[in-house]
Amino acid sequence: MSTVSWTLDCAECAASYDGLEERHRCECGAPLDVRHGGAPSLSPATADTRLLSRRPEDRSGVWRFREWVLPLDPAELVTRKEGHTNLYDAPQVAAWAGVERLLLKHEGENPTASFKDRGMTVAVSMAKKLGKRSVACASTGNTSASMASYAAAAGLKAYVFIPEGKVAFGKLSQAMAYGATTLQIAGDFDRAMTLVEQLAADEGVYLVNSVNPFRIEGQKAIGFELLQDLEWAVPDWIVLPGGNLGNNWAIAKGLAELYDWGFIPRLPRIAVIQAAGANPLYTAFTQRRALVPVVAETLATAIRIGNPVSWQRSLRGLARVDGVVEQVSDQEIMDAKAEVDAAGIGAEPASCATVAGLKKLVAAGVIAPDAHICGVLTGHVLKDPGTVVDYHLGKLAGIETTRAHPPVQVEGTVEAVKRALGG
Ligand SMILES: *Cc1c(COP(=O)(O)O)cnc(C)c1O
Ligand SMILES: [Zn+2]
């Protein structure tokens, strides 16, 4: 008899495991998902009353929905009161993308400046519950920054596997600052991912990549909180970038559960945007076939993933919500980023694939200009300062700078400054 109300289920072969069984994947190799015992008691109205509470489990934009996420005891939580991110109305960005109105949920406003904190609070809480002493992940940067922070808060050792030389500075500096042991693997993300799974299996280290089912449960809360921001109105579209593909699956899973439990009347559609240089989901989706891994190349390092762990679940989620997949070039990503940044909002390159993809889907007639559209910005503008500076100096290889705001060199005199300001 299990002591918890959920099980870990495989959608590929229908196997089911105890909710506390420690395994990274099903026997058949597929990632596992949390299946909740039945419709939880939490209603949207009760979730709203928690907005007035100061308790950490209610302040957190993940644990505020704990009955829908994972019913842990508040005393068991490792939380940094993640979530409660802003939903911005972005008229300039909307006009650029060709839509009447665009709302952007800025997940870069999480404690470590990316949405990864939402999954990490759940995974690290589970690591503690299971009595683990160390956690590990492979990362293009944001997962490691988040894991390092939450592991430090929980008193756990943290091992980070990152691809050498391909991690943005903001992210690398966070992993170091929070005290993780950082291994720069000679190879790409996909190589680092293979190695860390091996280590976790052999050494009993707890793996917190998005193959971890509890990460997915936490990331569902992006969708929950978005609906709460909208006073439980269901938008027509949610647009977000896709790399390892855990996040779009998480949002689809969470919203489908809310629908199945009778809390929302319909489902939004989801558009997943990939970088053209890291587009295996786009190819699989448009050609209606199994995913074929690619060697990934894009300056949007957070989605520079050629062999995504969650592709099967991603496609399943897209089928459930009548979703679509689009791809965008690095030039299109940087053009969109210039708009998001110049609107005063700002986000890292991968996040801006959202806006680039939206513009393309509107032009293609897939998304109507008057639709109710919410985009997810996944990470903070300061995550990748090098790319921003190079862009504005016109030094980004292969990218045309269409909207430069470079610094101006001026002599230290009033006249010179006046001249520089145009009189
Ligand atoms: C992790 C990440 C993504 C990709 O999310 P997946 O769940 O891997 O598809 C996109 N943007 C940012 C900023 C990220 O950190
Ligand atoms: Zn299975």
Side-chain angles (χ1 to χ4, degrees):
M1 252 322 263
S2 178
T3 51
V4 294
S5 61
W6 68 86
T7 54
L8 297 175
D9 287 13
C10 175
E12 296 300 315
C13 76
S16 181
Y17 305 89
D18 184 275
L20 296 180
E21 182 162 337
E22 249 188 79
R23 47 165 57 248
H24 303 121
R25 290 173 184 270
C26 180
E27 277 313 314
C28 80
L32 293 166
D33 280 302
V34 170
R35 188 164 60 85
H36 293 268
S41 56
L42 180 71
S43 69
T46 306
D48 282 349
T49 64
R50 291 179 178 168
L51 290 170
L52 295 173
S53 163
R54 292 188 181 278
R55 300 162 69 102
E57 65 271 25
D58 294 334
R59 285 300 266 245
S60 163
V62 172
W63 299 109
R64 189 188 309 142
F65 311 104
R66 51 196 171 272
E67 291 87 343
W68 300 344
V69 168
L70 201 70
L72 298 185
D73 189 287
E76 297 178 300
L77 306 182
V78 181
T79 175
R80 291 196 55 202
K81 295 174 243 181
E82 46 290 315
H84 55 81
T85 55
N86 281 299
L87 183 65
Y88 292 108
D89 209 327
Q92 300 105 313
V93 184
W96 181 82
V99 296
E100 286 176 15
R101 188 167 183 219
L102 175 60
L103 299 173
L104 293 171
K105 188 148 179 75
H106 206 327
E107 289 294 302
E109 296 175 353
N110 270 287
T112 76
S114 82
F115 76 81
K116 299 299 199 296
D117 293 340
R118 291 190 185 258
M120 204 55 70
T121 181
V122 185
V124 171
S125 296
M126 281 304 297
K128 249 185 91 179
K129 184 178 176 74
L130 294 168
K132 308 302 289 191
R133 298 232 186 82
S134 53
V135 289
C137 69
S139 177
T140 61
N142 282 332
T143 298
S144 58
S146 182
M147 182 189 79
S149 167
Y150 281 80
L156 304 176
K157 279 212 187 75
Y159 298 103
V160 165
F161 287 51
I162 57 171
E164 192 176 10
K166 297 284 168 40
V167 172
F169 247 55
K171 310 175 188 185
L172 182 59
S173 55
Q174 283 178 294
M176 295 193 290
Y178 299 135
T181 299
T182 301
L183 306 178
Q184 289 194 297
I185 307 292
D188 60 9
F189 170 83
D190 300 298
R191 181 76 203 132
M193 186 70 222
T194 306
L195 286 171
V196 78
E197 276 211 55
Q198 186 104 51
L199 171 99
D202 296 349
E203 307 290 328
V205 173
Y206 193 65
L207 185 67
V208 300
N209 275 100
S210 56
V211 66
N212 181 309
F214 303 110
R215 280 271 308 276
I216 300 294
E217 291 307 292
Q219 288 171 204
K220 291 188 325 192
I222 299 173
F224 298 158
E225 198 180 57
L226 175 61
L227 292 199
Q228 187 171 43
D229 293 338
L230 298 170
E231 299 183 65
W232 305 101
V234 179
D236 297 321
W237 286 96
I238 297 175
V239 188
L240 77 164
N244 220 8
L245 305 178
N247 207 28
N248 66 86
W249 162 237
I251 293 173
K253 177 177 191 282
L255 295 179
E257 286 168 347
L258 277 198
Y259 178 80
D260 292 341
W261 294 332
F263 294 131
I264 53 174
R266 63 188 185 95
L267 288 169
R269 299 178 71 184
I270 291 179
V272 178
I273 317 299
Q274 292 212 292
N279 66 350
L281 181 76
Y282 174 79
T283 309
F285 181 85
T286 49
Q287 300 183 3
R288 298 170 184 280
R289 59 162 168 76
L291 182 133
V292 178
V294 302
V295 176
E297 195 49 80
T298 168
L299 58 71
T301 51
I303 50 174
R304 188 175 177 274
I305 295 172
N307 189 14
V309 161
S310 294
W311 69 269
Q312 283 140 314
R313 341 190 244 189
S314 174
L315 287 175
R316 203 177 317 123
L318 288 168
R320 181 73 204 270
V321 303
D322 192 18
V324 299
V325 185
E326 183 55 280
Q327 62 173 350
V328 289
S329 68
D330 281 4
Q331 181 69 52
E332 289 170 316
I333 288 174
M334 291 310 293
D335 288 348
K337 177 170 157 58
E339 298 301 322
V340 172
D341 290 357
I345 295 173
E348 69 167 282
S351 310
C352 299
T354 291
V355 172
L358 170 63
K359 184 181 173 81
K360 240 174 145 164
L361 288 168
V362 171
V366 177
I367 296 183
D370 63 350
H372 183 357
I373 307 158
C374 297
V376 181
L377 298 177
T378 44
H380 197 280
V381 66
L382 290 178
K383 285 287 193 174
D384 193 351
T387 300
V388 177
V389 173
D390 285 349
Y391 176 83
H392 287 284
L393 295 181
K395 292 201 300 198
L396 214 48
I399 299 293
E400 192 194 336
T401 301
T402 50
R403 198 168 174 166
H405 316 125
V408 182
Q409 305 283 337
V410 192
E411 264 175 64
T413 66
V414 174
E415 295 71 37
V417 171
K418 279 187 176 166
R419 234 179 295 125
L421 295 179

